[in-house]
Amino acid sequence: MLNIPVLEELRTKTDLRITFLDETTVRRALQKKQSSEIPADLFRFECMEGKQGQCVWEDHPALRSHRALYAGLGSSLTLESYRQAAAVARNALKPWSARSVILDFPSTLPKNLSTTEVAQAMTEGWLLASYCFDRYQKKIKQKEPHLSFFVKEKREKRQVERGIKQGILFAQATSFARDLVNTPAMHTTPKDLVLAAQELTGKGSQISLKLFDETKLKRMKAGGILAIAQGSMHAPFLVHLVYKPVRKAAKKIALVGKAVTFDSGGLSLKPWEAMVTMKSDMAGAATILGIFSVLKELNIPYEVHGIFAACENMPSGSAIRPGDIVKMMNGTTVEIITTDAEGRMTLADSLTYAAKIAPDLLIDLATLTGASVVALGEEVAALLSTTNRWKRHFLNAAEESGEKIWELPLEKNYEKLLESDVADLRNIGNKYGGALTASLFLQHFVENYPWIHVEMAGPAFAEKVFEPYIPKGGTGFGVRSCLHFLLS
Ligand code: BES
Ligand code: ZN
Ligand code: ZN
């Protein structure tokens, strides 16, 4: 595992030292015209105000480093200020190759933030900003600079260390998910996702795997999964990972993900522009795999189930057609209006399966509808839920992790939009409220278990840079919210 030490003294010479300054500290220091943290030069140039996103370079021999960098934290300080500032600082050294970097842990924190969580946020920001997917490129990757934190208060050391450790795990899990999403569909086939799941199991992992291949899925009458997969040359799999904590868990939590390895739309073929990023349609499963990769190290006290139906949505002579009627695993029949509304079909059977383990809470993560992107834009996920209590906890966890999630309603009046003339349900509503009708469709398959649906069609894949620590491509959305939630 990555090691980021915490120093109590600055003995070694480093290439770069980074100090974080908020606007108030800078203003106060400017009034006094002196500060232990800010060299006089900075005032002379009067270029550092401590604004969020601001980064100022300074050479200062007294600092025992070749160069110094000052990064702004802004004025009203939240965890996100520290995450952002660390990321901005990390990005500032991209054109420059530092071998060793020291981050000054801020000596005063706002009262409502703990040392541990600030250290975690900074570590996350730094590591997530350094993420780069270059597996398919011949250009040589810049070596990661060796990072350490410096604390002035000795008693803070343990807490900073704990925060760093969590930050590393959160970032690693997120990067794990990003890699899977960024890998082209040709290399993340349903079989490849099964292999990824298998690699998480084994001795001492506390994770076991139940796998259902096509034959078993037929026996289980998983009509939704089989219908979507039938046009593809890649056979589908239902993957069920189980993590068990060392001590007997008080609660069982099921995480279900959409795992369409490529969504061409099927016979209801997508136009090419919409298809370009559809390797990301398995982001829900990628998030679950990322989460599972660190459950043990984080000592999560719950029994966690990770469930996804890996399959590909392709047009072919054997593909499902509009007008076909599919019998789902729970016996419900569905009239296919468009084969491009495939996610809810595979997810519905996955939810039916998940309900069989009688979870205390059912959470699904899916890239289900373009309509949610119309509603909330690219960076904000939607949440629809049947449980007020858990929902509040989950939204809190999302807030702390810096992931943007906004609630939409499960509007009962739209239920009739899913009525079919020939089957129990249609697989789409009308042209309005698509994120809502998709969720209402799923609700038919969760029985009465407390359920949270996270619709992340927008934020799962960044077509532009979202944040200093969220570069283009797969974002690993949901990993940090879920981990925060499982830890709280
Ligand atoms: N995978 C797509 C949703 C999607 C869109 C994800 C944009 C990421 C970015 C989903 O399977 C789909 O095609 N949904 C259709 C539903 C419609 C046919 C009711 C959509 O949103 O157009
Ligand atoms: Zn689709
Ligand atoms: Zn899809």
mmCIF file of all heavy atoms in Angstrom, residues 258 260 262-263 270 278 281 313 340-343 367-368, ligand 3:
data_model
loop_
_atom_site.group_PDB
_atom_site.id
_atom_site.type_symbol
_atom_site.label_atom_id
_atom_site.label_comp_id
_atom_site.label_asym_id
_atom_site.label_seq_id
_atom_site.Cartn_x
_atom_site.Cartn_y
_atom_site.Cartn_z
ATOM 1 N N LYS A 258 -25.871 -1.405 -12.070
ATOM 2 C CA LYS A 258 -26.103 -1.682 -13.487
ATOM 3 C C LYS A 258 -24.766 -2.039 -14.112
ATOM 4 O O LYS A 258 -23.759 -1.373 -13.878
ATOM 5 C CB LYS A 258 -26.711 -0.447 -14.180
ATOM 6 C CG LYS A 258 -26.834 -0.609 -15.709
ATOM 7 C CD LYS A 258 -27.655 0.510 -16.331
ATOM 8 C CE LYS A 258 -27.597 0.450 -17.865
ATOM 9 N NZ LYS A 258 -28.359 1.546 -18.512
ATOM 10 N N VAL A 260 -24.140 -2.953 -17.699
ATOM 11 C CA VAL A 260 -24.219 -3.146 -19.152
ATOM 12 C C VAL A 260 -22.851 -2.742 -19.707
ATOM 13 O O VAL A 260 -22.474 -1.569 -19.677
ATOM 14 C CB VAL A 260 -25.375 -2.323 -19.756
ATOM 15 C CG1 VAL A 260 -25.371 -2.400 -21.276
ATOM 16 C CG2 VAL A 260 -26.714 -2.827 -19.211
ATOM 17 N N PHE A 262 -21.595 -2.653 -22.622
ATOM 18 C CA PHE A 262 -21.717 -1.670 -23.700
ATOM 19 C C PHE A 262 -23.181 -1.550 -24.064
ATOM 20 O O PHE A 262 -23.866 -2.548 -24.237
ATOM 21 C CB PHE A 262 -20.885 -2.052 -24.924
ATOM 22 C CG PHE A 262 -20.890 -0.963 -25.968
ATOM 23 C CD1 PHE A 262 -20.143 0.197 -25.779
ATOM 24 C CD2 PHE A 262 -21.677 -1.063 -27.105
ATOM 25 C CE1 PHE A 262 -20.181 1.238 -26.701
ATOM 26 C CE2 PHE A 262 -21.712 -0.016 -28.041
ATOM 27 C CZ PHE A 262 -20.952 1.127 -27.841
ATOM 28 N N ASP A 263 -23.650 -0.290 -24.181
ATOM 29 C CA ASP A 263 -25.053 -0.054 -24.516
ATOM 30 C C ASP A 263 -25.147 0.579 -25.898
ATOM 31 O O ASP A 263 -25.050 1.800 -26.044
ATOM 32 C CB ASP A 263 -25.696 0.857 -23.454
ATOM 33 C CG ASP A 263 -27.171 1.101 -23.739
ATOM 34 O OD1 ASP A 263 -27.730 0.414 -24.617
ATOM 35 O OD2 ASP A 263 -27.761 1.975 -23.060
ATOM 36 N N LYS A 270 -28.745 3.424 -30.818
ATOM 37 C CA LYS A 270 -28.459 4.819 -30.482
ATOM 38 C C LYS A 270 -27.798 5.504 -31.675
ATOM 39 O O LYS A 270 -27.064 4.859 -32.422
ATOM 40 C CB LYS A 270 -27.466 4.868 -29.307
ATOM 41 C CG LYS A 270 -28.050 4.549 -27.948
ATOM 42 C CD LYS A 270 -26.971 4.707 -26.878
ATOM 43 C CE LYS A 270 -27.482 4.299 -25.502
ATOM 44 N NZ LYS A 270 -28.546 5.196 -24.999
ATOM 45 N N MET A 278 -20.651 4.916 -24.225
ATOM 46 C CA MET A 278 -21.475 3.859 -23.616
ATOM 47 C C MET A 278 -20.678 2.669 -23.059
ATOM 48 O O MET A 278 -21.247 1.723 -22.519
ATOM 49 C CB MET A 278 -22.576 3.391 -24.570
ATOM 50 C CG MET A 278 -23.752 4.350 -24.583
ATOM 51 S SD MET A 278 -24.444 4.590 -22.926
ATOM 52 C CE MET A 278 -24.520 6.351 -22.792
ATOM 53 N N ASP A 281 -21.479 2.300 -19.281
ATOM 54 C CA ASP A 281 -22.797 1.896 -18.791
ATOM 55 C C ASP A 281 -22.721 0.787 -17.729
ATOM 56 O O ASP A 281 -23.747 0.329 -17.227
ATOM 57 C CB ASP A 281 -23.688 1.472 -19.971
ATOM 58 C CG ASP A 281 -25.146 1.863 -19.782
ATOM 59 O OD1 ASP A 281 -25.419 2.748 -18.949
ATOM 60 O OD2 ASP A 281 -26.011 1.277 -20.462
ATOM 61 N N ASN A 313 -25.587 -4.930 -24.433
ATOM 62 C CA ASN A 313 -26.809 -4.640 -25.196
ATOM 63 C C ASN A 313 -26.461 -4.384 -26.659
ATOM 64 O O ASN A 313 -26.002 -3.300 -27.008
ATOM 65 C CB ASN A 313 -27.514 -3.422 -24.587
ATOM 66 C CG ASN A 313 -28.875 -3.157 -25.215
ATOM 67 O OD1 ASN A 313 -29.484 -4.061 -25.803
ATOM 68 N ND2 ASN A 313 -29.359 -1.924 -25.091
ATOM 69 N N ASP A 340 -33.559 0.159 -25.914
ATOM 70 C CA ASP A 340 -32.531 1.007 -25.295
ATOM 71 C C ASP A 340 -32.814 1.264 -23.813
ATOM 72 O O ASP A 340 -31.952 1.749 -23.086
ATOM 73 C CB ASP A 340 -32.433 2.335 -26.059
ATOM 74 C CG ASP A 340 -31.134 3.065 -25.786
ATOM 75 O OD1 ASP A 340 -30.232 2.450 -25.158
ATOM 76 O OD2 ASP A 340 -31.002 4.233 -26.196
ATOM 77 N N ALA A 341 -34.003 0.931 -23.366
ATOM 78 C CA ALA A 341 -34.284 1.017 -21.922
ATOM 79 C C ALA A 341 -33.965 -0.351 -21.335
ATOM 80 O O ALA A 341 -34.828 -1.049 -20.800
ATOM 81 C CB ALA A 341 -35.725 1.434 -21.676
ATOM 82 N N GLU A 342 -32.715 -0.749 -21.467
ATOM 83 C CA GLU A 342 -32.276 -2.104 -21.111
ATOM 84 C C GLU A 342 -31.841 -2.206 -19.655
ATOM 85 O O GLU A 342 -31.963 -3.253 -19.037
ATOM 86 C CB GLU A 342 -31.121 -2.541 -22.030
ATOM 87 C CG GLU A 342 -29.704 -2.085 -21.625
ATOM 88 C CD GLU A 342 -29.525 -0.574 -21.617
ATOM 89 O OE1 GLU A 342 -30.327 0.125 -22.259
ATOM 90 O OE2 GLU A 342 -28.578 -0.092 -20.960
ATOM 91 N N GLY A 343 -31.336 -1.060 -19.114
ATOM 92 C CA GLY A 343 -30.769 -1.094 -17.764
ATOM 93 C C GLY A 343 -31.786 -1.521 -16.725
ATOM 94 O O GLY A 343 -31.515 -2.347 -15.854
ATOM 95 N N THR A 367 -26.589 3.880 -14.276
ATOM 96 C CA THR A 367 -26.604 4.904 -15.326
ATOM 97 C C THR A 367 -27.815 4.616 -16.201
ATOM 98 O O THR A 367 -27.689 4.051 -17.277
ATOM 99 C CB THR A 367 -25.310 4.823 -16.146
ATOM 100 O OG1 THR A 367 -25.086 3.438 -16.502
ATOM 101 C CG2 THR A 367 -24.116 5.298 -15.361
ATOM 102 N N LEU A 368 -28.971 5.017 -15.699
ATOM 103 C CA LEU A 368 -30.216 4.519 -16.277
ATOM 104 C C LEU A 368 -30.831 5.415 -17.346
ATOM 105 O O LEU A 368 -31.349 4.927 -18.334
ATOM 106 C CB LEU A 368 -31.229 4.333 -15.128
ATOM 107 C CG LEU A 368 -32.094 3.091 -15.148
ATOM 108 C CD1 LEU A 368 -31.253 1.834 -15.272
ATOM 109 C CD2 LEU A 368 -32.917 3.024 -13.867
HETATM 110 ZN ZN ZN B 3 -27.883 1.746 -20.680
#
